[in-house]
Amino acid sequence: MEELPDEVVSNIFGRISSSSGRNTVALVCSRFYDLERCQRDHLRVGCGLHPARPALRSLCSRFPFLTTVEVLYAGWMSKLGKQVDDEGLTILATHCTYLRDLSLSFCSFITDVGLSNLAGCSRLTALRLNFTPGITGRGLLSLVAGCKKISILHLTRCLNVSSVEWLEFLGHHGNLESLAIRNCRGIGEGDLAKLGPGGWGKLQELVFEVDANHRYMKVFGHLAAESSCHHFHTDCAALRVLSFTNCLTTPGRGLACVLVKCQALTELHLDMCIGLRDDDLVPLARNSPFLRSLSLRIPSDFSMSIRLCSPPRLTDSSLKAIARHCSYLEKVAISFADGEFPLFSSFTVEGILALVEGCSFLRVLVLDRAYSFNDSGMEALCFSQSLEVLELVQCQEVSDEGLKCIRSSNLKDIRLCRCLGISNAGFSSLIGFRSLDMLRVEDCPQITKEGIEGSAKVISFRRDLSWMY
């Protein structure tokens, strides 16, 4: 090994993915130690770092070319010693001059002072904060004002971030490519307007998730409706991934402006978005011919505000528009929030089948509490040449007769969960045929493990009927 040039040894080190493996190899000799010292670019620390400040300073001195640092304190208790604090971020800023990607999770002792200490990290391009209660909007403002190359910003459960001037700075810099805001109670949908026209130009991923409990209990009514009524001046030509959860949409305003202006989407996830209409999804479908993945979770009519004279609805028109314009779809998931009210379903079996027939590349279909889907729908699915994976969750209109159609289909993977209408008899035509590669049965009261033996190459069975009581 001593005769090998450094380039070859470095290549060998690069093929060792685990940190423990690299640490072990570095102990072989001083040459390996120095190579590992100079080549290591990723560091992850947490509860085992004790005492925090000296240990972090030692690690940063040992690895001078770190580009990615993760600080994770999940499960931390006071008896485990002190956490990395503001002084720890000062150590990172001083010693890690090549730092580009920083993640802070469950860091209870980091405040705005610590973030401001990072403002001098000119190379920093990605920041991820997960439950950092000591950080407010002022700390984020000081950071983004100094780190002008920030292109990735993810905030999760940052409960004390309320002021959003930092969004204006991000928009002014015009480098933002990925923005994710999850369960940050002080940030509303309308605040995204602060990005301005410049903030949307390079944006490829946008994730916005509202804390459902906070919304429904605190701000669901008049204030929530007003907060989403900002006009967005957006250019979403670069947007590839879009995910909204528990959001409010208002016609021609707020997030509705984002939906209708997307032109290059490949992934769309809309979960419990109240106020969503055909007028939002139909234009989106026309402008998104390259859509590959679609996930819709529809709220019940009882989730609508009483201030709405005519509650908005999604109908088969949306599904038919998607089938007509998004022919490259590979995965579709449709879920209804309140399956106990089947009469209020927005989509019918006709619309679902139109979607399947129109998307010739569709491989995965997930239906959750779609009470309109029945045996006729199962029979029609058998004619799809591309469909390989089917998941049915609480689809109670599907019976044994519908399941028997699987034998003449191209399905390879089926998951049945809490389906009351299917029994062992439905699998009689599949036993011994082995057309399925995978069968997963979960919490179906009329199906037993013995009744489905031999119906697939691999079978996963679970039966917990507590959900019925």
Side-chain angles (χ1 to χ4, degrees), residues 179-183 188-190 192 195 200 203 205-211 215 232 234 236 239 241-250 253-262 265 267-274 276 280-281 284 295-299:
L179 176 63
I181 300 175
R182 298 181 177 92
N183 299 324
E189 297 94 321
L192 293 178
L195 282 174
W200 297 87
L203 193 63
E205 179 184 24
L206 176 61
V207 178
F208 196 92
E209 179 177 338
V210 177
D211 186 329
R215 156 136 296 162
F232 280 22
T234 62
C236 304
L239 203 59
V241 179
L242 182 62
S243 176
F244 292 149
T245 303
N246 298 320
C247 294
L248 293 175
T249 60
T250 305
R253 296 172 178 266
L255 300 184
C257 298
V258 179
L259 291 172
V260 300
K261 293 182 180 181
C262 294
L265 278 184
E267 297 181 31
L268 176 63
H269 177 85
L270 300 175
D271 186 347
M272 292 291 289
C273 289
I274 298 174
L276 201 62
D280 301 318
L281 284 191
L284 182 144
S295 176
L296 296 174
R297 186 174 178 226
I298 314 300

Short mmCIF file of all heavy atoms in Angstrom, two decimals, residues 179-183 188-190 192 195 200 203 205-211 215 232 234 236 239 241-250 253-262 265 267-274 276 280-281 284 295-299:
data_model
loop_
_atom_site.label_atom_id
_atom_site.label_comp_id
_atom_site.label_asym_id
_atom_site.label_seq_id
_atom_site.Cartn_x
_atom_site.Cartn_y
_atom_site.Cartn_z
N LEU A 179 -37.27 25.60 -1.41
CA LEU A 179 -37.81 26.23 -0.21
C LEU A 179 -38.86 25.29 0.39
O LEU A 179 -39.82 24.91 -0.28
CB LEU A 179 -38.46 27.57 -0.54
CG LEU A 179 -39.15 28.30 0.62
CD1 LEU A 179 -38.15 28.66 1.72
CD2 LEU A 179 -39.88 29.54 0.13
N ALA A 180 -38.65 24.90 1.64
CA ALA A 180 -39.60 24.04 2.35
C ALA A 180 -39.92 24.65 3.70
O ALA A 180 -39.01 24.89 4.50
CB ALA A 180 -39.02 22.63 2.52
N ILE A 181 -41.19 24.91 3.95
CA ILE A 181 -41.66 25.47 5.22
C ILE A 181 -42.74 24.55 5.75
O ILE A 181 -43.83 24.45 5.17
CB ILE A 181 -42.19 26.90 5.04
CG1 ILE A 181 -41.09 27.82 4.49
CG2 ILE A 181 -42.71 27.45 6.36
CD1 ILE A 181 -41.56 29.22 4.17
N ARG A 182 -42.44 23.87 6.87
CA ARG A 182 -43.36 22.88 7.41
C ARG A 182 -43.71 23.22 8.87
O ARG A 182 -42.84 23.33 9.72
CB ARG A 182 -42.75 21.47 7.37
CG ARG A 182 -42.42 20.96 5.97
CD ARG A 182 -41.84 19.56 6.05
NE ARG A 182 -41.56 18.98 4.74
CZ ARG A 182 -40.38 19.08 4.13
NH1 ARG A 182 -39.37 19.72 4.72
NH2 ARG A 182 -40.20 18.53 2.94
N ASN A 183 -45.00 23.40 9.11
CA ASN A 183 -45.51 23.58 10.48
C ASN A 183 -44.82 24.71 11.23
O ASN A 183 -44.54 24.60 12.42
CB ASN A 183 -45.37 22.27 11.26
CG ASN A 183 -46.18 21.13 10.65
OD1 ASN A 183 -47.26 21.35 10.13
ND2 ASN A 183 -45.64 19.93 10.69
N GLY A 188 -47.56 32.24 7.10
CA GLY A 188 -48.77 31.86 6.37
C GLY A 188 -48.54 31.80 4.88
O GLY A 188 -47.50 32.21 4.36
N GLU A 189 -49.56 31.30 4.17
CA GLU A 189 -49.44 31.17 2.72
C GLU A 189 -49.16 32.51 2.05
O GLU A 189 -48.35 32.60 1.12
CB GLU A 189 -50.72 30.57 2.13
CG GLU A 189 -51.03 29.16 2.58
CD GLU A 189 -51.98 29.13 3.78
OE1 GLU A 189 -51.81 30.00 4.66
OE2 GLU A 189 -52.86 28.25 3.83
N GLY A 190 -49.82 33.55 2.53
CA GLY A 190 -49.66 34.86 1.91
C GLY A 190 -48.26 35.43 2.04
O GLY A 190 -47.85 36.28 1.25
N LEU A 192 -45.56 34.05 1.31
CA LEU A 192 -44.72 33.66 0.18
C LEU A 192 -44.65 34.76 -0.87
O LEU A 192 -43.72 34.79 -1.68
CB LEU A 192 -45.25 32.38 -0.46
CG LEU A 192 -45.14 31.11 0.39
CD1 LEU A 192 -45.76 29.93 -0.35
CD2 LEU A 192 -43.69 30.81 0.74
N LEU A 195 -41.41 36.86 -1.49
CA LEU A 195 -40.29 36.48 -2.35
C LEU A 195 -40.14 37.42 -3.54
O LEU A 195 -39.04 37.63 -4.04
CB LEU A 195 -40.50 35.05 -2.88
CG LEU A 195 -40.18 33.90 -1.91
CD1 LEU A 195 -40.58 32.57 -2.54
CD2 LEU A 195 -38.70 33.89 -1.57
N TRP A 200 -38.74 33.66 -7.55
CA TRP A 200 -39.35 32.49 -8.17
C TRP A 200 -38.59 32.02 -9.41
O TRP A 200 -38.83 30.91 -9.91
CB TRP A 200 -40.78 32.80 -8.56
CG TRP A 200 -41.66 33.12 -7.41
CD1 TRP A 200 -41.85 34.34 -6.83
CD2 TRP A 200 -42.46 32.21 -6.66
NE1 TRP A 200 -42.71 34.25 -5.77
CE2 TRP A 200 -43.11 32.95 -5.64
CE3 TRP A 200 -42.71 30.84 -6.76
CZ2 TRP A 200 -43.98 32.36 -4.74
CZ3 TRP A 200 -43.58 30.25 -5.85
CH2 TRP A 200 -44.20 31.01 -4.86
N LEU A 203 -36.52 28.86 -8.63
CA LEU A 203 -37.11 27.94 -7.66
C LEU A 203 -37.58 26.66 -8.35
O LEU A 203 -38.43 26.70 -9.25
CB LEU A 203 -38.29 28.61 -6.95
CG LEU A 203 -38.81 27.91 -5.70
CD1 LEU A 203 -37.74 27.86 -4.62
CD2 LEU A 203 -40.06 28.62 -5.17
N GLU A 205 -38.17 23.64 -6.28
CA GLU A 205 -38.95 22.86 -5.30
C GLU A 205 -39.58 23.79 -4.27
O GLU A 205 -38.89 24.61 -3.67
CB GLU A 205 -38.05 21.84 -4.59
CG GLU A 205 -38.80 21.01 -3.54
CD GLU A 205 -37.88 20.08 -2.77
OE1 GLU A 205 -36.66 20.36 -2.70
OE2 GLU A 205 -38.36 19.06 -2.23
N LEU A 206 -40.88 23.66 -4.08
CA LEU A 206 -41.60 24.44 -3.09
C LEU A 206 -42.48 23.51 -2.27
O LEU A 206 -43.35 22.83 -2.80
CB LEU A 206 -42.46 25.52 -3.75
CG LEU A 206 -43.35 26.34 -2.81
CD1 LEU A 206 -42.51 27.09 -1.77
CD2 LEU A 206 -44.22 27.31 -3.59
N VAL A 207 -42.24 23.48 -0.97
CA VAL A 207 -43.03 22.67 -0.03
C VAL A 207 -43.56 23.61 1.04
O VAL A 207 -42.78 24.30 1.71
CB VAL A 207 -42.17 21.55 0.61
CG1 VAL A 207 -43.01 20.76 1.61
CG2 VAL A 207 -41.60 20.63 -0.46
N PHE A 208 -44.87 23.63 1.21
CA PHE A 208 -45.48 24.48 2.25
C PHE A 208 -46.53 23.66 2.98
O PHE A 208 -47.50 23.19 2.38
CB PHE A 208 -46.11 25.73 1.65
CG PHE A 208 -46.40 26.79 2.66
CD1 PHE A 208 -45.46 27.78 2.93
CD2 PHE A 208 -47.59 26.79 3.37
CE1 PHE A 208 -45.72 28.75 3.89
CE2 PHE A 208 -47.85 27.75 4.33
CZ PHE A 208 -46.91 28.74 4.59
N GLU A 209 -46.31 23.48 4.28
CA GLU A 209 -47.21 22.66 5.10
C GLU A 209 -47.62 23.45 6.33
O GLU A 209 -46.76 23.93 7.08
CB GLU A 209 -46.51 21.36 5.50
CG GLU A 209 -47.36 20.44 6.37
CD GLU A 209 -46.68 19.13 6.69
OE1 GLU A 209 -45.75 18.75 5.93
OE2 GLU A 209 -47.06 18.49 7.69
N VAL A 210 -48.91 23.55 6.53
CA VAL A 210 -49.46 24.28 7.66
C VAL A 210 -49.83 23.29 8.76
O VAL A 210 -50.35 22.20 8.48
CB VAL A 210 -50.70 25.09 7.24
CG1 VAL A 210 -51.32 25.80 8.45
CG2 VAL A 210 -50.33 26.10 6.17
N ASP A 211 -49.55 23.65 10.01
CA ASP A 211 -49.94 22.83 11.15
C ASP A 211 -51.47 22.76 11.20
O ASP A 211 -52.14 23.75 11.45
CB ASP A 211 -49.39 23.46 12.43
CG ASP A 211 -49.62 22.58 13.66
OD1 ASP A 211 -50.62 21.86 13.69
OD2 ASP A 211 -48.79 22.63 14.58
N ARG A 215 -54.18 25.53 12.56
CA ARG A 215 -55.07 26.18 11.60
C ARG A 215 -56.52 26.08 12.05
O ARG A 215 -57.24 27.06 12.14
CB ARG A 215 -54.92 25.54 10.22
CG ARG A 215 -56.12 25.69 9.30
CD ARG A 215 -55.74 26.07 7.89
NE ARG A 215 -55.12 27.36 7.87
CZ ARG A 215 -54.37 27.83 6.86
NH1 ARG A 215 -54.15 27.06 5.81
NH2 ARG A 215 -53.84 29.01 6.90
N PHE A 232 -49.93 37.17 -6.02
CA PHE A 232 -48.57 36.67 -6.23
C PHE A 232 -48.11 37.04 -7.63
O PHE A 232 -48.78 36.73 -8.61
CB PHE A 232 -48.53 35.14 -6.10
CG PHE A 232 -48.51 34.64 -4.67
CD1 PHE A 232 -48.95 35.42 -3.63
CD2 PHE A 232 -48.04 33.37 -4.39
CE1 PHE A 232 -48.93 34.96 -2.32
CE2 PHE A 232 -48.01 32.89 -3.10
CZ PHE A 232 -48.47 33.69 -2.06
N THR A 234 -45.66 35.84 -9.78
CA THR A 234 -44.76 34.69 -9.82
C THR A 234 -44.41 34.31 -11.25
O THR A 234 -45.19 34.49 -12.18
CB THR A 234 -45.41 33.47 -9.15
OG1 THR A 234 -46.60 33.11 -9.86
CG2 THR A 234 -45.76 33.77 -7.71
N CYS A 236 -43.17 30.75 -12.42
CA CYS A 236 -42.90 29.40 -11.94
C CYS A 236 -42.37 28.48 -13.04
O CYS A 236 -42.59 27.27 -13.01
CB CYS A 236 -44.16 28.79 -11.34
SG CYS A 236 -44.89 29.78 -10.01
N LEU A 239 -40.21 25.59 -11.71
CA LEU A 239 -40.71 24.77 -10.61
C LEU A 239 -40.95 23.33 -11.08
O LEU A 239 -41.70 23.08 -12.02
CB LEU A 239 -42.00 25.37 -10.07
CG LEU A 239 -42.39 25.01 -8.63
CD1 LEU A 239 -41.30 25.43 -7.66
CD2 LEU A 239 -43.71 25.67 -8.27
N VAL A 241 -41.08 20.52 -8.41
CA VAL A 241 -41.76 19.81 -7.32
C VAL A 241 -42.58 20.81 -6.52
O VAL A 241 -42.06 21.82 -6.05
CB VAL A 241 -40.73 19.11 -6.40
CG1 VAL A 241 -41.46 18.39 -5.26
CG2 VAL A 241 -39.88 18.12 -7.19
N LEU A 242 -43.87 20.52 -6.35
CA LEU A 242 -44.77 21.41 -5.63
C LEU A 242 -45.59 20.59 -4.64
O LEU A 242 -46.23 19.60 -5.02
CB LEU A 242 -45.70 22.14 -6.61
CG LEU A 242 -46.68 23.15 -6.00
CD1 LEU A 242 -45.94 24.27 -5.30
CD2 LEU A 242 -47.60 23.71 -7.09
N SER A 243 -45.57 21.00 -3.36
CA SER A 243 -46.30 20.28 -2.32
C SER A 243 -46.95 21.27 -1.38
O SER A 243 -46.27 22.08 -0.75
CB SER A 243 -45.35 19.35 -1.55
OG SER A 243 -46.03 18.71 -0.48
N PHE A 244 -48.29 21.21 -1.28
CA PHE A 244 -49.06 22.03 -0.35
C PHE A 244 -49.84 21.11 0.57
O PHE A 244 -50.51 20.18 0.11
CB PHE A 244 -50.03 22.96 -1.08
CG PHE A 244 -49.37 24.05 -1.88
CD1 PHE A 244 -49.97 24.54 -3.04
CD2 PHE A 244 -48.17 24.60 -1.47
CE1 PHE A 244 -49.36 25.54 -3.77
CE2 PHE A 244 -47.56 25.60 -2.20
CZ PHE A 244 -48.15 26.07 -3.36
N THR A 245 -49.80 21.39 1.89
CA THR A 245 -50.52 20.58 2.87
C THR A 245 -51.28 21.49 3.82
O THR A 245 -50.70 22.41 4.40
CB THR A 245 -49.55 19.68 3.67
OG1 THR A 245 -48.81 18.85 2.77
CG2 THR A 245 -50.33 18.79 4.64
N ASN A 246 -52.58 21.23 3.97
CA ASN A 246 -53.45 22.00 4.88
C ASN A 246 -53.47 23.49 4.54
O ASN A 246 -53.55 24.34 5.42
CB ASN A 246 -53.00 21.83 6.34
CG ASN A 246 -53.09 20.39 6.81
OD1 ASN A 246 -54.04 19.69 6.48
ND2 ASN A 246 -52.09 19.95 7.54
N CYS A 247 -53.38 23.79 3.26
CA CYS A 247 -53.34 25.20 2.83
C CYS A 247 -54.71 25.66 2.36
O CYS A 247 -55.59 24.87 2.01
CB CYS A 247 -52.32 25.36 1.70
SG CYS A 247 -50.61 25.08 2.19
N LEU A 248 -54.88 26.97 2.35
CA LEU A 248 -56.09 27.60 1.82
C LEU A 248 -55.81 28.19 0.45
O LEU A 248 -54.78 28.82 0.25
CB LEU A 248 -56.57 28.70 2.75
CG LEU A 248 -57.07 28.30 4.14
CD1 LEU A 248 -57.38 29.54 4.96
CD2 LEU A 248 -58.30 27.42 4.03
N THR A 249 -56.73 27.99 -0.48
CA THR A 249 -56.60 28.61 -1.80
C THR A 249 -57.82 29.48 -2.06
O THR A 249 -58.95 29.13 -1.71
CB THR A 249 -56.48 27.55 -2.91
OG1 THR A 249 -57.65 26.71 -2.90
CG2 THR A 249 -55.25 26.69 -2.70
N THR A 250 -57.57 30.63 -2.68
CA THR A 250 -58.61 31.57 -3.02
C THR A 250 -58.53 31.86 -4.51
O THR A 250 -57.44 32.08 -5.04
CB THR A 250 -58.44 32.90 -2.23
OG1 THR A 250 -58.38 32.61 -0.83
CG2 THR A 250 -59.58 33.85 -2.51
N ARG A 253 -55.96 34.33 -6.35
CA ARG A 253 -55.08 34.92 -5.36
C ARG A 253 -54.25 33.85 -4.67
O ARG A 253 -54.51 32.66 -4.77
CB ARG A 253 -55.89 35.67 -4.29
CG ARG A 253 -56.68 36.85 -4.81
CD ARG A 253 -57.60 37.40 -3.72
NE ARG A 253 -58.33 38.59 -4.18
CZ ARG A 253 -57.94 39.83 -3.98
NH1 ARG A 253 -56.80 40.06 -3.34
NH2 ARG A 253 -58.64 40.85 -4.42
N GLY A 254 -53.22 34.31 -3.95
CA GLY A 254 -52.44 33.41 -3.12
C GLY A 254 -51.87 32.22 -3.87
O GLY A 254 -51.34 32.34 -4.98
N LEU A 255 -52.01 31.04 -3.26
CA LEU A 255 -51.42 29.84 -3.83
C LEU A 255 -52.06 29.43 -5.14
O LEU A 255 -51.46 28.70 -5.93
CB LEU A 255 -51.52 28.70 -2.81
CG LEU A 255 -50.81 28.94 -1.47
CD1 LEU A 255 -50.90 27.70 -0.61
CD2 LEU A 255 -49.35 29.32 -1.69
N ALA A 256 -53.30 29.86 -5.38
CA ALA A 256 -53.96 29.56 -6.65
C ALA A 256 -53.16 30.14 -7.82
O ALA A 256 -53.12 29.56 -8.90
CB ALA A 256 -55.38 30.09 -6.66
N CYS A 257 -52.51 31.29 -7.60
CA CYS A 257 -51.68 31.89 -8.65
C CYS A 257 -50.48 31.00 -8.97
O CYS A 257 -50.05 30.93 -10.13
CB CYS A 257 -51.19 33.27 -8.21
SG CYS A 257 -52.49 34.47 -7.91
N VAL A 258 -49.95 30.34 -7.96
CA VAL A 258 -48.81 29.46 -8.19
C VAL A 258 -49.23 28.25 -9.01
O VAL A 258 -48.56 27.84 -9.96
CB VAL A 258 -48.20 29.00 -6.85
CG1 VAL A 258 -47.03 28.06 -7.08
CG2 VAL A 258 -47.74 30.22 -6.04
N LEU A 259 -50.39 27.67 -8.67
CA LEU A 259 -50.85 26.46 -9.36
C LEU A 259 -51.03 26.69 -10.85
O LEU A 259 -50.61 25.87 -11.68
CB LEU A 259 -52.16 25.97 -8.73
CG LEU A 259 -52.07 25.42 -7.30
CD1 LEU A 259 -53.46 25.16 -6.75
CD2 LEU A 259 -51.24 24.15 -7.28
N VAL A 260 -51.65 27.78 -11.22
CA VAL A 260 -51.99 27.98 -12.64
C VAL A 260 -50.80 28.44 -13.47
O VAL A 260 -50.87 28.42 -14.70
CB VAL A 260 -53.14 29.01 -12.77
CG1 VAL A 260 -54.38 28.51 -12.06
CG2 VAL A 260 -52.73 30.37 -12.23
N LYS A 261 -49.70 28.83 -12.81
CA LYS A 261 -48.54 29.33 -13.56
C LYS A 261 -47.41 28.31 -13.68
O LYS A 261 -46.37 28.61 -14.27
CB LYS A 261 -48.02 30.62 -12.93
CG LYS A 261 -48.99 31.79 -13.05
CD LYS A 261 -48.41 33.07 -12.46
CE LYS A 261 -49.39 34.23 -12.60
NZ LYS A 261 -48.83 35.48 -12.04
N CYS A 262 -47.59 27.13 -13.11
CA CYS A 262 -46.55 26.10 -13.22
C CYS A 262 -46.51 25.57 -14.66
O CYS A 262 -47.55 25.29 -15.26
CB CYS A 262 -46.84 24.95 -12.26
SG CYS A 262 -46.73 25.42 -10.53
N LEU A 265 -43.80 21.17 -14.02
CA LEU A 265 -43.94 20.29 -12.87
C LEU A 265 -43.73 18.82 -13.25
O LEU A 265 -44.22 18.36 -14.28
CB LEU A 265 -45.33 20.44 -12.25
CG LEU A 265 -45.59 21.60 -11.30
CD1 LEU A 265 -47.00 21.51 -10.73
CD2 LEU A 265 -44.58 21.65 -10.18
N GLU A 267 -43.67 16.65 -10.14
CA GLU A 267 -44.30 16.08 -8.94
C GLU A 267 -45.25 17.11 -8.34
O GLU A 267 -44.86 18.26 -8.12
CB GLU A 267 -43.25 15.68 -7.91
CG GLU A 267 -42.31 14.58 -8.35
CD GLU A 267 -41.32 14.21 -7.27
OE1 GLU A 267 -41.67 14.32 -6.07
OE2 GLU A 267 -40.18 13.83 -7.61
N LEU A 268 -46.48 16.67 -8.05
CA LEU A 268 -47.48 17.55 -7.44
C LEU A 268 -48.14 16.80 -6.29
O LEU A 268 -48.64 15.69 -6.44
CB LEU A 268 -48.54 17.95 -8.46
CG LEU A 268 -49.71 18.79 -7.93
CD1 LEU A 268 -49.21 20.13 -7.40
CD2 LEU A 268 -50.76 19.01 -9.02
N HIS A 269 -48.14 17.45 -5.11
CA HIS A 269 -48.74 16.85 -3.91
C HIS A 269 -49.64 17.90 -3.27
O HIS A 269 -49.17 18.95 -2.81
CB HIS A 269 -47.63 16.43 -2.93
CG HIS A 269 -48.15 15.87 -1.64
ND1 HIS A 269 -48.51 14.55 -1.49
CD2 HIS A 269 -48.39 16.45 -0.44
CE1 HIS A 269 -48.94 14.34 -0.26
NE2 HIS A 269 -48.87 15.48 0.41
N LEU A 270 -50.95 17.65 -3.25
CA LEU A 270 -51.92 18.55 -2.65
C LEU A 270 -52.69 17.77 -1.59
O LEU A 270 -53.50 16.89 -1.91
CB LEU A 270 -52.89 19.10 -3.71
CG LEU A 270 -52.24 19.89 -4.85
CD1 LEU A 270 -53.28 20.27 -5.90
CD2 LEU A 270 -51.54 21.14 -4.31
N ASP A 271 -52.43 18.09 -0.32
CA ASP A 271 -52.98 17.33 0.79
C ASP A 271 -53.87 18.24 1.64
O ASP A 271 -53.39 19.19 2.26
CB ASP A 271 -51.82 16.78 1.64
CG ASP A 271 -52.29 15.85 2.74
OD1 ASP A 271 -53.50 15.82 3.03
OD2 ASP A 271 -51.44 15.15 3.33
N MET A 272 -55.16 17.96 1.64
CA MET A 272 -56.12 18.71 2.45
C MET A 272 -56.07 20.21 2.17
O MET A 272 -56.07 21.04 3.09
CB MET A 272 -55.87 18.44 3.94
CG MET A 272 -56.18 17.03 4.37
SD MET A 272 -57.96 16.67 4.33
CE MET A 272 -58.54 17.64 5.71
N CYS A 273 -56.00 20.56 0.91
CA CYS A 273 -55.97 21.98 0.52
C CYS A 273 -57.40 22.47 0.36
O CYS A 273 -58.09 22.12 -0.61
CB CYS A 273 -55.17 22.16 -0.77
SG CYS A 273 -53.41 21.90 -0.55
N ILE A 274 -57.85 23.27 1.28
CA ILE A 274 -59.23 23.74 1.31
C ILE A 274 -59.41 24.88 0.31
O ILE A 274 -58.60 25.81 0.26
CB ILE A 274 -59.60 24.20 2.73
CG1 ILE A 274 -59.50 23.00 3.68
CG2 ILE A 274 -60.99 24.81 2.78
CD1 ILE A 274 -59.70 23.38 5.13
N LEU A 276 -59.72 24.24 -3.02
CA LEU A 276 -59.21 23.81 -4.33
C LEU A 276 -60.37 23.55 -5.27
O LEU A 276 -61.36 22.89 -4.92
CB LEU A 276 -58.38 22.54 -4.15
CG LEU A 276 -57.38 22.18 -5.24
CD1 LEU A 276 -56.33 23.26 -5.39
CD2 LEU A 276 -56.73 20.84 -4.93
N ASP A 280 -58.50 25.52 -10.67
CA ASP A 280 -57.08 25.49 -10.31
C ASP A 280 -56.35 24.34 -11.00
O ASP A 280 -55.25 24.51 -11.52
CB ASP A 280 -56.92 25.35 -8.79
CG ASP A 280 -57.57 26.49 -8.02
OD1 ASP A 280 -57.42 27.65 -8.48
OD2 ASP A 280 -58.22 26.23 -7.00
N LEU A 281 -56.96 23.15 -11.00
CA LEU A 281 -56.28 21.97 -11.53
C LEU A 281 -56.33 21.86 -13.05
O LEU A 281 -55.39 21.35 -13.67
CB LEU A 281 -56.88 20.70 -10.91
CG LEU A 281 -56.47 20.38 -9.47
CD1 LEU A 281 -56.93 18.99 -9.09
CD2 LEU A 281 -54.96 20.50 -9.30
N LEU A 284 -53.58 23.95 -14.53
CA LEU A 284 -52.31 23.32 -14.17
C LEU A 284 -52.03 22.12 -15.07
O LEU A 284 -50.91 21.91 -15.52
CB LEU A 284 -52.35 22.90 -12.70
CG LEU A 284 -51.07 22.27 -12.14
CD1 LEU A 284 -50.87 22.69 -10.70
CD2 LEU A 284 -51.11 20.75 -12.23
N SER A 295 -50.42 13.41 -6.29
CA SER A 295 -51.03 12.95 -5.05
C SER A 295 -52.06 13.98 -4.61
O SER A 295 -51.74 15.15 -4.41
CB SER A 295 -49.96 12.77 -3.97
OG SER A 295 -50.55 12.41 -2.73
N LEU A 296 -53.32 13.52 -4.47
CA LEU A 296 -54.41 14.39 -4.06
C LEU A 296 -55.09 13.80 -2.83
O LEU A 296 -55.50 12.63 -2.85
CB LEU A 296 -55.45 14.54 -5.17
CG LEU A 296 -55.01 15.22 -6.47
CD1 LEU A 296 -56.13 15.15 -7.49
CD2 LEU A 296 -54.63 16.66 -6.22
N ARG A 297 -55.21 14.59 -1.77
CA ARG A 297 -56.01 14.20 -0.62
C ARG A 297 -57.08 15.25 -0.44
O ARG A 297 -56.78 16.41 -0.15
CB ARG A 297 -55.15 14.08 0.64
CG ARG A 297 -55.92 13.54 1.84
CD ARG A 297 -55.00 13.30 3.02
NE ARG A 297 -55.75 12.83 4.18
CZ ARG A 297 -55.59 13.30 5.41
NH1 ARG A 297 -54.69 14.24 5.64
NH2 ARG A 297 -56.29 12.83 6.40
N ILE A 298 -58.34 14.84 -0.65
CA ILE A 298 -59.43 15.80 -0.75
C ILE A 298 -60.13 15.93 0.60
O ILE A 298 -60.53 14.94 1.20
CB ILE A 298 -60.47 15.32 -1.80
CG1 ILE A 298 -59.75 14.86 -3.08
CG2 ILE A 298 -61.45 16.43 -2.09
CD1 ILE A 298 -58.92 15.91 -3.74
N PRO A 299 -60.29 17.17 1.11
CA PRO A 299 -61.04 17.36 2.35
C PRO A 299 -62.53 17.20 2.11
O PRO A 299 -63.02 17.34 0.99
CB PRO A 299 -60.70 18.80 2.76
CG PRO A 299 -60.41 19.48 1.45
CD PRO A 299 -59.78 18.43 0.57
#
